[in-house]
Amino acid sequence: MHYEDANGSGETHLQRLIDGESMARRKKIYEGKAKILFEGPEPGTIVQYFKDDATAFNAEKKDVIEGKGVLNNMLSEYFMNGLTSVGIPNHFMKRLNMREQLVRSVEIIPLEVIVRNYSAGTMAKRLGMEEGTQLPRPIVEYCLKEDKLGDPLVTEEHIAAFGWASQQDMDDILSLALRVNDFLSGVMYGVGIKLVDFKIEIGRVYDGDFMRLIVADEISPDSCRLWDIETGQKLDKDVFRRDLGSLTDAYTEVAKRLGVMPKGATPIARPTLIN
Ligand code: CDP
């Protein structure tokens, strides 16, 4: 007797059990709101496990969205591989299974690097702008990664004075952020989606004495604002933040348009019992 996914493409119940078992054998390093990090099989590697948990407003709003972890694992793999293909260094090594990927371990710079092409979210609020206004050029903002403080906006003055990153780091971070923006905007535009804004995190890696900065964490609809070009429909975490419908449907739509998931597939296992 075994379980099989009804449509032959999603995460099967059996797969979930196997993935869960491999997760249990690994040593946990850190658990965040949407991901768990485990020690990787080789020194300098980490296993990144994507949970189904969704949080917003600094974890004041919480839910479990079945299938979200699978979609974000696949989508982040797709975007990171895309970055690699155009020469933008990042931590992704390979996907291990439906929920886990192997990544290079990095020293995370304690900043959320936000790039905006259109006003939305906190910037629209802060500056009293209508959401969706096109910005004269991409605007890069930095927030301190500190949940207790609600990730406050900081300036380059704070970053330099408190030593969170050097001037050279900031030059490299800005260049990485704008390169990621150009790449992602183009990819999304190609499938009829406007990249309104996104957040990335940057990590340090050492090759001997030489330190360089690479894109780390994840790139997924959890950390981007994605609007359908024609209809303006939101296809990102705002669907959850603002109760606009099914988050899984929105992320599945992004995955299907990008060809990450075959048309007709669903990321949710609907187990059928086979004798
Ligand atoms: O998302 P929120 O409205 O709280 O803040 P924002 O500053 O308007 O967010 C800009 C972009 O960064 C959005 O695409 C967010 O999803 C993303 N972001 C994120 O991924 N994680 C955070 N802690 C803050 C923002």
Side-chain angles (χ1 to χ4, degrees):
M1 192 168 68
H2 66 281
Y3 292 102
E4 198 172 75
D5 174 37
N7 56 37
S9 59
E11 181 190 38
T12 62
H13 183 64
L14 182 63
Q15 189 60 50
R16 201 174 175 138
L17 290 176
I18 294 167
D19 292 353
E21 233 173 67
S22 79
M23 178 172 85
R25 283 198 306 271
R26 299 192 156 120
K27 188 165 170 240
K28 194 193 279 190
I29 302 172
Y30 173 80
E31 179 155 2
K33 287 177 284 199
K35 296 190 293 294
I36 310 176
L37 303 182
F38 297 95
E39 249 174 29
E42 310 286 340
T45 65
I46 281 183
V47 175
Q48 196 166 241
Y49 175 97
F50 289 76
K51 300 195 282 186
D52 280 343
D53 301 21
T55 62
F57 313 119
N58 209 9
E60 270 170 40
K61 182 176 165 99
K62 284 187 206 170
D63 205 350
V64 175
I65 313 280
E66 203 184 347
K68 180 173 87 80
V70 173
L71 281 157
N72 281 351
N73 186 25
M74 303 279 212
L75 282 163
S76 201
E77 171 191 22
Y78 177 83
F79 293 128
M80 294 289 183
N81 277 336
L83 295 187
T84 303
S85 72
V86 297
I88 304 174
N90 65 84
H91 74 163
F92 183 81
M93 296 171 77
K94 68 170 180 180
R95 186 162 63 79
L96 298 173
N97 55 51
M98 298 291 268
R99 284 177 182 275
E100 293 178 323
Q101 49 181 242
L102 189 67
V103 299
R104 258 189 97 159
S105 94
V106 302
E107 257 173 38
I108 284 282
I109 296 192
L111 297 173
E112 310 222 318
V113 180
I114 293 173
V115 184
R116 302 177 184 273
N117 299 305
Y118 297 83
S119 72
T122 56
M123 193 187 84
K125 213 171 182 181
R126 198 186 320 127
L127 301 181
M129 289 175 86
E130 197 181 326
E131 283 210 313
T133 310
Q134 187 161 20
L135 302 173
R137 61 183 176 86
I139 294 180
V140 182
E141 293 178 347
Y142 305 99
C143 293
L144 180 65
K145 249 173 83 69
E146 185 54 84
D147 281 344
K148 283 196 300 265
L149 303 174
D151 300 335
L153 186 70
V154 292
T155 68
E156 290 194 54
E157 278 290 284
H158 299 113
I159 297 168
F162 296 122
W164 296 322
S166 68
Q167 190 52 56
Q168 178 63 55
D169 293 337
M170 292 313 290
D171 293 348
D172 293 348
I173 290 172
L174 180 65
S175 153
L176 281 171
L178 293 175
R179 288 172 76 195
V180 172
N181 186 43
D182 283 347
F183 171 78
L184 275 187
S185 299
V187 168
M188 299 316 301
Y189 182 76
V191 295
I193 294 174
K194 193 189 268 184
L195 179 65
V196 173
D197 58 30
F198 66 92
K199 182 245 356 184
I200 50 171
E201 295 185 20
I202 305 289
R204 295 179 199 280
V205 288
Y206 296 88
D207 296 318
D209 283 346
F210 183 69
M211 186 278 292
R212 62 196 179 95
L213 299 181
I214 66 176
V215 178
D217 191 48
E218 73 178 283
I219 299 179
S220 76
D222 265 8
S223 50
C224 298
R225 281 198 172 92
L226 305 170
W227 296 359
D228 181 87
I229 288 176
E230 294 291 319
T231 64
Q233 187 193 354
K234 294 183 172 38
L235 298 170
D236 55 59
K237 208 166 96 175
D238 275 347
V239 171
F240 170 72
R241 291 189 190 98
R242 304 179 188 187
D243 295 318
L244 300 175
S246 158
L247 193 73
T248 317
D249 286 356
Y251 289 20
T252 301
E253 175 65 22
V254 176
K256 283 186 181 169
R257 288 199 199 182
L258 292 168
V260 172
M261 247 177 77
K263 293 202 170 18
T266 136
I268 302 173
R270 299 216 168 81
T272 36
L273 206 49
I274 313 273
N275 289 314

